[in-house]
Amino acid sequence: MLYLIYQYFHINLFQYITVRAGISFFIGFILTLYLMPKFIAWAKAKKANQPIYKHAPQGHQLKGSTPTMGGTVFLTSTLIASLFAIRFDSFYAIGGILSLLLFWAIGFKDDLSKITNNKNEAGLTSRSKMLYLIIASVIVGGYLLWGGFDTRLFVPFYKYPVTDMGYFALIFWTFVMVATSNAVNLTDGLDGLATVPSIFSIMSLSVFVYVMGHAILSSYLLVPNYKGIGEVAIISTALIGSLIGFLWYNCHPAEVFMGDSGSLALGGFISYLAIITKNEFLLIAVGFVFVMETVSVILQVGSYKTRKKRVFKMAPIHHHFEIKGWAENKIIVRFWIIALISNLLALITLKIR
């Protein structure tokens, strides 16, 4: 919409990505602040509450009356803001919206099943969820391949590609998207725990998006230049604004949870940003909190199956600290600090190569 205003009415201000990104941020933020209380009131009336996992720490049982599926609201705000501000001829921006919608749909189906049956275990089975995530990832990866996106593989601190993956890129991208969406989903266990690290991750990767879409900056910083990729930064800022609006209600004690409809969509979009910016390996640092949570589950399950012993008191690791007696707010803020530091370190790689 804004770019069309520039084209037809020659208002030059709206041709700039930075201006449209700023506008999309505030639209997403204000819309979420406006819509979320209405959603919370509706969800409470319909008893669309978050079913609590029966083995979760005792304090979580008190959260059983908290509405869930807040991710649907902040994603709606993100899509409205994005469609208002992006160029509709942007191949990369359309891919970003596609990733948000596909992964949201899986999470929505999972949330709806849990709410309908009023049981955490009544959601999608692990096998069916994994199948849906793979299908969604293949669709997004196939879209990139069909559009002729670069299949070369890059690693941090090195300015040249290490190999061209060709069609094997689809398998690699699928793995990245499935792993990241699951990682964010696992992290979403405390009030605001997944929200702020997601904001940091999107911000960091959006810096790469903007740089790689800028001919001069990409040349100076020795990163690939992809025409039109900068439009994705507009979706990112819309999502960041929406997430900050969501955090207003999701901070401890949370009035609403994002649910799988939010966490899976965030993971899908973060991995999409990593793929199009050639930062699949840097995603380990960008999403370090998500990696930490996932590794804790893998270690716990692996240790119990092989040795019948647990590494942690409970996994994911944020539950371990809960059982050790850490206050929920302390765990959340400390994990936010870790996320901030890891993302600052990741941004340093933009210059060191």
Side-chain angles (χ1 to χ4, degrees), residues 137-184:
S137 302
V138 168
I139 291 172
V140 175
Y143 172 82
L144 290 172
L145 274 181
W146 170 77
F149 181 62
D150 187 2
T151 56
R152 294 177 298 170
L153 181 66
F154 288 80
V155 295
F157 307 112
Y158 190 61
K159 60 186 176 182
Y160 301 110
V162 293
T163 187
D164 189 337
M165 296 180 289
Y167 287 108
F168 287 104
L170 182 58
I171 298 173
F172 180 57
W173 295 341
T174 299
F175 170 78
V176 171
M177 299 193 84
V178 170
T180 307
S181 55
N182 270 310
V184 178

Side-chain angles (χ1 to χ4, degrees), residues 1-276:
M1 181 70 71
L2 291 178
Y3 195 78
L4 291 176
I5 293 173
Y6 155 68
Q7 285 185 315
Y8 290 104
F9 298 99
H10 306 292
I11 301 176
N12 290 331
L13 190 66
F14 294 144
Q15 72 174 304
Y16 299 109
I17 288 174
T18 49
V19 172
R20 289 183 283 124
I23 292 172
S24 73
F25 171 89
F26 284 106
I27 292 175
F29 174 67
I30 293 168
L31 266 179
T32 304
L33 281 182
Y34 173 74
L35 294 173
M36 195 61 73
K38 299 180 182 300
F39 172 79
I40 292 171
W42 173 86
K44 285 183 176 179
K46 297 295 183 181
K47 299 189 183 303
N49 303 327
Q50 173 68 53
I52 304 300
Y53 180 51
K54 62 182 179 180
H55 297 302
Q58 191 60 39
H60 286 246
Q61 306 309 319
L62 302 174
K63 301 181 179 184
S65 61
T66 306
T68 189
M69 291 174 61
T72 297
V73 178
F74 70 69
L75 283 171
T76 299
S77 301
T78 298
L79 289 172
I80 292 172
S82 299
L83 293 174
F84 185 75
I86 63 169
R87 289 182 57 170
F88 293 105
D89 61 349
S90 172
F91 167 78
Y92 296 101
I94 298 302
I97 290 174
L98 179 66
S99 66
L100 281 173
L101 287 174
L102 287 174
F103 285 87
W104 164 81
I106 299 168
F108 182 80
K109 181 177 176 63
D110 193 32
D111 285 337
L112 196 60
S113 180
K114 291 176 184 177
I115 292 169
T116 303
N117 295 281
N118 195 29
K119 190 176 181 182
N120 188 274
E121 294 79 9
L124 294 173
T125 64
S126 298
R127 183 173 295 181
S128 59
K129 182 185 282 189
M130 183 64 70
L131 177 61
Y132 285 133
L133 290 174
I134 290 172
I135 291 172
S137 302
V138 168
I139 291 172
V140 175
Y143 172 82
L144 290 172
L145 274 181
W146 170 77
F149 181 62
D150 187 2
T151 56
R152 294 177 298 170
L153 181 66
F154 288 80
V155 295
F157 307 112
Y158 190 61
K159 60 186 176 182
Y160 301 110
V162 293
T163 187
D164 189 337
M165 296 180 289
Y167 287 108
F168 287 104
L170 182 58
I171 298 173
F172 180 57
W173 295 341
T174 299
F175 170 78
V176 171
M177 299 193 84
V178 170
T180 307
S181 55
N182 270 310
V184 178
N185 187 224
L186 284 172
T187 306
D188 183 34
L190 299 178
D191 301 346
L193 183 60
T195 306
V196 173
S198 294
I199 291 171
F200 290 153
S201 298
I202 295 166
M203 286 177 66
S204 296
L205 291 169
S206 295
V207 171
F208 284 89
V209 164
Y210 182 74
V211 167
M212 295 174 81
H214 196 289
I216 297 174
L217 288 178
S218 60
S219 176
Y220 172 69
L221 292 170
L222 305 175
V223 295
N225 174 239
Y226 302 127
K227 185 178 179 181
I229 196 175
E231 291 292 315
V232 182
I234 296 171
I235 303 174
S236 295
T237 53
L239 183 52
I240 291 168
S242 299
L243 282 172
I244 292 174
F246 172 69
L247 185 63
W248 187 269
Y249 303 97
N250 182 236
C251 61
H252 184 70
E255 298 174 58
V256 62
F257 298 138
M258 68 170 66
D260 285 12
S261 55
S263 59
L264 291 179
L266 287 175
F269 185 70
I270 289 169
S271 57
Y272 177 77
L273 291 177
I275 289 167
I276 63 173

